[in-house]
Amino acid sequence: MGLNMDNMSHLFEQHAIDEYAARYEQLGYHVSRDCKIGDFPVDLYVEKDGVKFAFDFKARVNMNIRDELESIRHLAHEQGIHFRVVIVQVPREKYIEVDGIEDTLENWFRNSIPDVLDELSSHTMIEDVDDIVLTHVEIRNGGEMYIEGEAVIFVTLIYGKEDGDEIDDSFPFTFKGVWTYDENRELIIDSLDEYSIDTSMFYE
């Protein structure tokens, strides 16, 4: 099950709370979690020699809770507590997509089956390229795209004659190359500068 942004935010908030708690414990503070100031819960409360801090950790602060935070701050000030809102940065996953890149890779390998796959059987057929993750896309002059990524190539391995025993298999690979568009605005591979297909599991 994947993590949605709310779950991710909660995990990073908890990690930040743990870090702050450990830091203040090392400094000799008494540390309490999930305390309240008035009727408002706060994530962390620390105290040492009469110096008191309360912390609330937020991955995202929206307008709906600003009034609540101001109320906590006011109540904390009345009790001699320094109130701090800690903004937690949550890394956001970046998705890069180039429409049609799967088909270009599939056609490329069908037109010229790599030796590393061809040697696995008497007759190796390229079925599909999927699970593509683009790690780098660079737009160059003239509309060329230099692309790096990783994917999975799916094959059928046939032993004996072309109607012999068949085994379906798949292998991860990485690639680097240049893509462009033809006169019909169809995406094509200009050059596949480098690729590496990992077939090591086949031999284990």
Side-chain angles (χ1 to χ4, degrees), residues 37-51:
I37 296 179
D39 293 329
F40 298 101
V42 293
D43 295 316
L44 195 66
Y45 173 81
V46 303
E47 183 175 353
K48 174 185 175 183
D49 299 332
V51 179

Side-chain angles (χ1 to χ4, degrees), residues 49-112:
D49 299 332
V51 179
K52 297 175 282 187
F53 289 95
F55 299 94
D56 212 38
F57 294 77
K58 300 293 183 186
R60 290 174 290 177
V61 179
N62 57 53
M63 296 300 295
N64 295 330
I65 64 171
R66 289 184 181 274
D67 290 343
E68 177 181 317
L69 294 176
E70 285 302 317
S71 296
I72 298 174
R73 191 184 307 277
H74 178 72
L75 290 171
H77 179 73
E78 289 181 342
Q79 300 176 37
I81 302 171
H82 303 284
F83 178 64
R84 300 286 186 272
V85 177
V86 180
I87 304 301
V88 180
Q89 289 188 329
V90 180
R92 296 181 180 272
E93 189 171 1
K94 296 181 179 180
Y95 295 93
I96 307 174
E97 293 185 3
V98 175
D99 190 35
I101 192 170
E102 296 93 342
D103 292 337
T104 63
L105 286 167
E106 180 182 322
N107 291 333
W108 177 277
F109 288 124
R110 280 182 175 173
N111 291 331
S112 180

Side-chain angles (χ1 to χ4, degrees), residues 25-48:
E25 284 177 344
Q26 289 179 349
L27 293 174
Y29 282 79
H30 174 73
V31 175
S32 301
R33 300 179 186 235
D34 299 321
C35 298
K36 283 188 174 183
I37 296 179
D39 293 329
F40 298 101
V42 293
D43 295 316
L44 195 66
Y45 173 81
V46 303
E47 183 175 353
K48 174 185 175 183

Side-chain angles (χ1 to χ4, degrees), residues 72-178:
I72 298 174
R73 191 184 307 277
H74 178 72
L75 290 171
H77 179 73
E78 289 181 342
Q79 300 176 37
I81 302 171
H82 303 284
F83 178 64
R84 300 286 186 272
V85 177
V86 180
I87 304 301
V88 180
Q89 289 188 329
V90 180
R92 296 181 180 272
E93 189 171 1
K94 296 181 179 180
Y95 295 93
I96 307 174
E97 293 185 3
V98 175
D99 190 35
I101 192 170
E102 296 93 342
D103 292 337
T104 63
L105 286 167
E106 180 182 322
N107 291 333
W108 177 277
F109 288 124
R110 280 182 175 173
N111 291 331
S112 180
I113 298 177
D115 291 341
V116 71
L117 296 178
D118 195 34
E119 66 189 18
L120 299 180
S121 70
S122 304
H123 184 66
T124 299
M125 296 179 59
I126 306 299
E127 299 294 344
D128 194 14
V129 172
D130 206 348
D131 297 333
I132 291 183
V133 176
L134 303 185
T135 56
H136 178 81
V137 176
E138 177 184 331
I139 308 299
R140 295 176 173 175
N141 291 336
E144 289 184 346
M145 291 181 291
Y146 173 76
I147 300 175
E148 298 180 12
E150 54 192 48
V152 177
I153 188 166
F154 295 83
V155 300
T156 297
L157 305 177
I158 304 173
Y159 298 92
K161 298 180 180 180
E162 290 194 14
D163 59 351
D165 295 335
E166 296 183 2
I167 297 176
D168 293 329
D169 213 332
S170 59
F171 305 98
F173 72 97
T174 58
F175 61 90
K176 300 177 182 179
V178 176

Side-chain angles (χ1 to χ4, degrees), residues 187-203:
L187 185 68
I188 59 173
I189 296 177
D190 183 73
S191 62
L192 199 58
D193 302 326
E194 181 181 333
Y195 64 85
S196 177
I197 302 174
D198 182 5
T199 60
S200 59
M201 292 293 292
F202 179 83
Y203 299 100

